[in-house]
Amino acid sequence: MKPIVLLVLCFAIVNCQRNIEPIPKIKIGGIFYDYEFEIEEAFIKTIGVVNGLSEGEFKLEPVSKHLKDSDGSMVIEKYACDLLELGVAAIFGPSSKANSDIVSILSNVTGVPNLLFDAINEENEQQKAGHQLTLNVYPTQLILSKAYADIVHNFGWKKFNIVYDAEDENAPMRLQDILQLRDIHHEAVRVLKFRRGDDYQVLWKGIQGDKRVILDCPPELLVEVLEASIPFDLTGQFNHLFLTNLETPAGALEPLRNNETFTLNITAARLMGKDMENFLNTEFDPNNIDMPTRELLPDLIHDAIMLYFLALKEIASQYMIEEPPTYTCDTLDFNGETQRWRFGEYVNRVMRQIAPLNDTLFHHGRIQFDDAGYRTHFELEIYEPLDNYGLALWNTNGHISSEHVQTNISKKIVYRVATRLGAPYFMEKEEAVAANVTGNGRYYGYAVDLIDEISKEMNFEYVFVPVAGNGYGKYNKETKRWDGIIGELINNDAHMGICDLTITQARKEVVDFSVPFMTLGISILAYQKPVERKSWSAFLEPFQNEVWMYVMASILVISFLYFAISRITVGDWENPHPCNKDPDTVENRWNISNSFWITIGSIMTAGCDILPIHPTMRIFTTMFWIFAIILNNSYTANMAAFLTNSKMESSVNSIADLAGQAEIKFGTIEGGSTYSLFAESNETTYRLAFNRMQGADPPVYTKDNIEGVDRVLKNNGNYMFLMETTTLEYNTERNCKLKMLGDIFGEKHYAIAVPFGAEYRHSLNVAILRLAEKGILPNLKKKWWTNEDTPCEHEELAEKDTPDLTFDNVRGIFYTLYVGVFLAYIIGIIDFLIYSHQVAAEEGLSFKEAFIKEITFVLKFWNNKKPISAAGSSRSASRMSGGSDKSARSLSKSRKLSKSNKSSKSDKSDKSPDASQVEDAMERKSTKSLKSVVIKLK
């Protein structure tokens, strides 16, 4: 038991000794100017915070030294030596106002770390070698310079003024990348300097008329300097000011906030950090590491102390913290023989390594140093200082990203929208013009509706400003100025420009554009020749009148020749009754009627029910058939081509066709985006087209689309106009004499133009994308382009080789059919009346009675058998008599036989069957029966 009790007592004694050991106190020094009380206050309060976080491992004890403005490097050296004699483990400061590196040199000699929180001048290699123990949490000036150049480039500024304090030695270094632009754009970039106490109005008088200024000014002079610019119209809403001093507090411009004349666009840059609004005016809490500060330098000394604390804490977790030795400056050897504090060098290395790993305790994000101890990693926030809201973020990779934040802007701006008159984008109401109405109510069109929808999305007011000359914007090489809408934006006389304004590279160099609200291309506007109505005799047009006369004459001549050759051709005389082996006569079927029938049937490819027998006749017929086939096929081919020639497209179907011919002139708007496409393109077809336009006489260029459309209409197909498809579609919808030729080429985009660096461009982009997603943009296009009142019915080729024929093309054929049917019925009616008259005469009836009798039978369409009357018998006999002499003689014999049988007094029962048949046939007046009976009797 005793050994155990002794062991417990020993452990308790050791533990008690540890508890009563005093916590190591580490002195850290700070050198501040008298007026830097806020920095010193942050220094002391931050040390209080870290002492609460050290968990009893160590305590930091602040020691401060104060400088006056008149103190030089000797005083600074003395104060630094005093701190070293007190045994400080680190020295913070002094600020860049000291204009001396003596503290860094002493730190490098003794090994005591030196932490800076302010901008310093650029150092050469020898100076860097003497500052190895110095770390600066303020961003390096070289990277800041690059950041400002990136921001200005993002604004798109090509012409601006650089103004800075001549007494600030760091300003030229901080602005060096921007100043180098003066060597490139010496006519567009001017540099001006000022000094404290100068008459600042003289400065601004030299800038009067310019709209963009980069100002690097100490915060305490900023309001005074800017107030001096008000009389020179440099603070209007079309001016833009960029502030580069990172130390400018957010509320520095508060005195100008409610100034009605101070409406310019202000952009500033600040070191990005945590949201300061959450702890502004907050009472100090030792447990709250995010101590409230209001300015940049107090924030940075807070970060420097936190960095030193993290390094000590990291070391204390593994090793005992070594107290620094005391140094006397009189005994220091600057040649390197003084024993440096090794632990201090170790702390310096740990700070460099741990800085990038932890950013929770820093106000301004992660810290990273290069080999020389300069801070190389940080982010800049581009913000609006009047209303204190962020616009974008810049990082050391050179990337700028927009901040999507909601802001409440107290200033009310009425946006000026530059535009030009032109249908359907922007037009004047006739009644408003007559009543001399002014303002937005005077106008209507696609652009008016679009801006109205965008204003609802963005919640702003606007006023339309038609530009003088009604131009889009063309660069004048002599005056080196832009006119039209682009000129208004460059001069900051308008906030936006909207119409059928195309995004081009030349325009993008001087203004910014929103995302496109319409995509289009270029095509050819051509004259639509009126479709001529074919005459009723169009089906005769494949042959000339002379040919038709020859055809008719050929039919007549061939028919008579056919009749004549048939008379001399023995083989075509036939026995009319094949049963009679020894006929008295033969007959020839090729009378005049049949000859005409086979001739016409051959021409019409209809054929005939009787055909020649003898080789002579067949050879004659074959030769005529060859003639008929060639004639018929020639007519068919010519008819198809002739009736569809009005639908044949022009030989120009593309820009390549247009450029490759010389008969049709073509042009576009001079100096417009379409002109630029052809003028600047290296594509062979476009260059050829441009050369033809350039060499045309008279000139083929126009001042606007209206002139181009009028020129197309007046030249009736001898002039074509190259224009954007949107305007082309609008015109073809409303004028049936216009049409589009060929495919669309040269894709383009319409967008809203804004001045360079306009902070509302992002909001415009968002609004346009929302309108597209809601389907409003397509609806607006349909509303202003579709013409439902007077739609044009252009003839279009079907997607096949042979177009469809309309009734107008072939109506003559129908007219011919109608006339033929009409004539046939007229002849038939006349024949029917003659027949009725014969019936009346032979049957002793009146003409009316005979007509009613016959027409009644005709109307009984279900009865297909008709008794033959006397008139019918005589007509039948008459027709048969024209057939052959043999038939006539047979008919005569039959009639005589009938008469002899009738005069006989014998009874019917005694009659022979043959005689009875003949009598019955005569009673029926049937010629066919008579012929058959006669044949049987023979």
Side-chain angles (χ1 to χ4, degrees), residues 269-284:
R270 62 187 174 191
L271 198 60
M272 184 60 186
K274 298 177 181 177
D275 188 3
M276 307 299 288
E277 294 181 358
N278 293 334
F279 49 86
L280 284 176
N281 300 320
T282 304
E283 293 296 331
F284 172 68

Side-chain angles (χ1 to χ4, degrees), residues 399-419:
H399 179 68
I400 296 178
S401 57
S402 299
E403 287 190 80
H404 307 290
V405 294
Q406 297 292 331
T407 60
N408 295 319
I409 303 176
S410 59
K411 288 187 301 183
K412 189 173 184 63
I413 299 177
V414 177
Y415 287 87
R416 292 168 60 86
V417 182
T419 186

Side-chain angles (χ1 to χ4, degrees), residues 34-98:
D34 288 338
Y35 51 81
E36 294 177 337
F37 56 87
E38 291 184 350
I39 301 176
E40 184 179 4
E41 181 182 12
F43 175 71
I44 296 172
K45 288 187 175 181
T46 305
I47 291 175
V49 171
V50 300
N51 286 337
L53 297 174
S54 64
E55 298 177 353
E57 294 176 330
F58 57 85
K59 293 290 184 181
L60 299 181
E61 183 178 336
V63 180
S64 300
K65 294 293 182 180
H66 299 91
L67 297 171
K68 295 182 174 59
D69 263 346
S70 58
D71 292 341
S73 60
M74 297 295 293
V75 177
I76 297 173
E77 181 181 0
K78 178 182 180 305
Y79 286 164
C81 290
D82 291 343
L83 292 175
L84 292 174
E85 289 179 4
L86 292 175
V88 294
I91 299 177
F92 291 81
S95 63
S96 61
K97 299 176 181 64

